[in-house]
Each structure stands twice: as C-alpha cells, then as structure tokens.
Amino acid sequence: MNLRGEMAPPGSYWGRFVPASIALVVLAVIVSPLPLLNSVGAIVIPAALMVLFWSRSESSIYRWFPALVAATVAALAFQPIGLVVIIIVAAGILLDKGVRAGWDWKVVGLAGSCPLLFWLALVLPVWSQTVETIGEEMELTYVAPLTDWFVELGFDQVQMEELVTQTVETVMRLLPSQLVLAALFMGFGALLVGNWWLRRQGRELGIEVQQMAVWALPYRLIWVMIAALASLVFASGGLKTVGLNVVVVLGFFYMVQGFAIIWYSFEVRGTPGWIRSLFAIAVALVVWPGLVIIGMLENWIPFRSLMAKAAGEGEEEDQ
C-alpha cells in the first residue's frame, strides 16, 4: 500500500521537512572530504533524501527546492567539495523522480548514477589529454615518499621505485572505470538502501527490485567482454587503455552474476545465513576472480537452470 504523504503531519513542511533537507546537505559537506565516510555518505545521503522526498505529497518544486538551494550555497562556499554535494543531491532527486514515475528498478538505479556519470563524461576528455601530466604530478607526490618508506623497511630502492611508478600508472589508466563503478555504486546502492529503509517503515516504493538470486546480464554483453579482452592482447596505446577499463567494469558485473549464481545455490539448499555471510566476506577478499569466470560461463552453461532441475528431481525422489 502506498502511504506517501501520510507520514507527514500538517504544517510539518517548514518545521520538519525543510530543516531535514538542509541537514542532509550539511552532512554531505561534512563527510565529503573524509576517507571512507565519503563513500558511505555517497550512498546513504541520496537514499535518505529519496526517503525524505517520498514522505511528502507536495509538488516536485516544493520537495526539491530546499535541498537544491542548500546545495547551491554549499557549492559556492566550499569548492571543490560543493561539486560532490551537488552530485549527491541530484542523485537523490533523480531517484525520487524515478520511483514516483514507476520506472524499472534498473532505470531508477542508473538515474541515480547519472549525476556522477555526467560529470565523468565532462572531465574524461580533459583527463585523456592531461593523463601524462597528472601521472607525473602523482609520481612527484607519492613515488618518492613511498619509496623512501619501503627502503626504510629494508626493501630494494630500485625495485620499489619501479613498483610504485607502475602502481601510479595503473591507477591513472583505470581511473575512468573506477569512477564509473563509483557512480553505479552510488545510484544502485542508494536505491537499495532507500528501498530497505522504506520497507522498515512499512512503506513501499511501488517498484519491484529484482532479487539477487535471479539477477542476470544480457547474453550479448559477453561479446563486448570478449572484444575488450582481445584488445588487451592485440591493441596498444589508447585503445588498449579503453579495453582495460571496459574489462574492469564488465568484470565487476560478471562477478555480481557469479555471486548471484552461488546465492541461488544457497536458496535452493536453504543454506544458513552465517554461511552466506562468510561467503560474502570470502568473495570480497579472495575468490572474486572465480566469480567473474562463473558469471561469464553462464552464457553457455545454464548453472541456475541445472540447479533448479536437480532440486526438483531431488524433491520427487524424497516423495
């Protein structure tokens, strides 16, 4: 049942909603420069804005205006942090727009990712032209201090200089894919957190978020992955860098698909929650490359169909 607007008592717009909107923007300003907390805030704050907007029955201009004004003030007063705040608020607004319009959950999550993806599209041409200069600046900033630190620990100086230099170069080459994944984490993470939050309050978004166990990528996407992998072997220069970034992004998606396959096996077998939690930790630390391979192989080997068939035959034998 849709209870949007019923949770807000009369007269609470100025007394509750506006202060809460501004407080979330202020929180975004505070956590944006803080490591780890900024990653959490990039998901939780848009989710909180989505939940806050969903509780109101006013028109969109009244729902979004307080947060937009506060974000604009923050952008003018706290540069460059203000840009992050604008992106966070825009993500919350687009999530609110999507769930109210009843878009498919994938489209809603992508909409929440769009502000950061749009910023990436604007800066990517500049990044591609200045990547060597930025790399040199990063080497001056990080290579020498890190090398000295490793040498103090007893490592060989020449080897450490080569290792740190290669690491900096790899980070620069993979920056676009990392930002794309960060944007997707932001949009889909905020949608999932907001959906969970509303369900805890006894409310519904009106859209159905697909369960992890049945999540699957389009079949034709595997050919994009194969082409990107081929570019790592046969291409060079900028084309190879593009292929590497595509492999990273699609590799993450196929890892999620591999995770979904294993999760489906948990559902079929009724695996206890503590084993699932241990598996999730192991995935994050160790076995994620195997999940990428499993996710890709499902294009030719229907693992979940085979597990469902085996489970059905097992039930028939028990009877």
Side-chain angles (χ1 to χ4, degrees):
M1 179 178 179
N2 185 3
L3 300 178
R4 181 177 69 255
E6 296 181 15
M7 302 296 292
S12 67
Y13 179 81
W14 292 104
R16 298 186 182 185
F17 177 76
V18 173
S21 298
I22 296 174
L24 287 171
V25 174
V26 171
L27 181 61
V29 173
I30 293 173
V31 303
S32 292
L34 302 177
L36 297 180
L37 286 178
N38 52 14
S39 299
V40 176
I43 294 176
V44 174
I45 296 176
L49 285 170
M50 184 186 78
V51 172
L52 187 66
F53 295 151
W54 187 249
S55 69
R56 304 303 305 184
S57 57
E58 291 88 357
S59 63
S60 57
I61 185 63
Y62 286 100
R63 296 195 310 273
W64 304 340
F65 188 72
L68 281 174
V69 171
T72 302
V73 172
L76 295 174
F78 303 101
Q79 298 180 2
I81 296 174
L83 175 62
V84 178
V85 177
I86 290 288
I87 289 174
I88 288 175
V89 172
I93 289 173
L94 288 173
L95 288 170
D96 177 56
K97 173 67 176 177
V99 297
R100 285 176 181 269
W103 298 343
D104 183 81
W105 73 275
K106 303 184 203 63
V107 179
V108 177
L110 186 59
S113 307
C114 278
L116 186 51
L117 291 174
F118 178 74
W119 174 83
L120 175 61
L122 292 178
V123 303
L124 192 57
V126 178
W127 171 86
S128 62
Q129 295 174 3
T130 61
V131 61
E132 293 183 1
T133 303
I134 297 174
E136 292 174 358
E137 293 178 356
M138 289 187 65
E139 287 185 16
L140 292 173
T141 305
Y142 298 107
V143 171
L146 286 174
T147 301
D148 293 341
W149 182 68
F150 281 118
V151 170
E152 291 177 359
L153 294 176
F155 292 93
D156 181 75
Q157 182 173 356
V158 176
Q159 292 180 348
M160 287 302 100
E161 286 181 353
E162 293 178 354
L163 177 62
V164 175
T165 300
Q166 291 175 359
T167 302
V168 171
E169 291 176 353
T170 302
V171 169
M172 290 304 302
R173 293 178 66 191
L174 293 178
L175 187 59
S177 61
Q178 302 307 305
L179 289 173
V180 168
L181 290 177
L184 296 174
F185 266 114
M186 181 179 182
F188 286 92
L191 173 62
L192 294 176
V193 171
N195 185 49
W196 170 83
W197 197 331
L198 287 170
R199 286 179 181 274
R200 293 278 294 180
Q201 296 177 353
R203 292 182 282 172
E204 299 288 343
L205 278 180
I207 60 174
E208 184 178 355
V209 178
Q210 192 175 32
Q211 295 181 357
M212 169 59 69
V214 297
W215 192 86
L217 291 169
Y219 171 76
R220 293 181 180 179
L221 199 61
I222 189 63
W223 300 112
V224 179
M225 183 65 163
I226 292 173
L229 288 170
S231 72
L232 301 184
V233 179
F234 302 107
S236 61
L239 186 58
K240 187 172 184 177
T241 298
V242 172
L244 180 61
N245 282 275
V246 172
V247 167
V248 170
V249 173
L250 292 184
F252 172 79
F253 285 129
Y254 279 110
M255 182 192 73
V256 175
Q257 178 157 311
F259 189 93
I261 294 169
I262 304 300
W263 205 260
Y264 183 85
S265 71
F266 290 159
E267 295 287 342
V268 170
R269 294 178 173 84
T271 304
W274 66 271
I275 295 180
R276 302 187 189 196
S277 300
L278 288 177
F279 172 74
I281 295 172
V283 166
L285 298 177
V286 181
V287 301
W288 59 268
L291 291 183
V292 176
I293 296 173
I294 292 174
M296 294 174 63
L297 286 176
E298 197 183 33
N299 287 275
W300 298 282
I301 305 174
F303 293 113
R304 281 174 279 195
S305 297
L306 293 174
M307 284 187 282
K309 182 179 179 180
E313 291 176 353
E315 291 177 359
E316 291 177 1
E317 291 177 359
D318 292 337
Q319 293 175 356

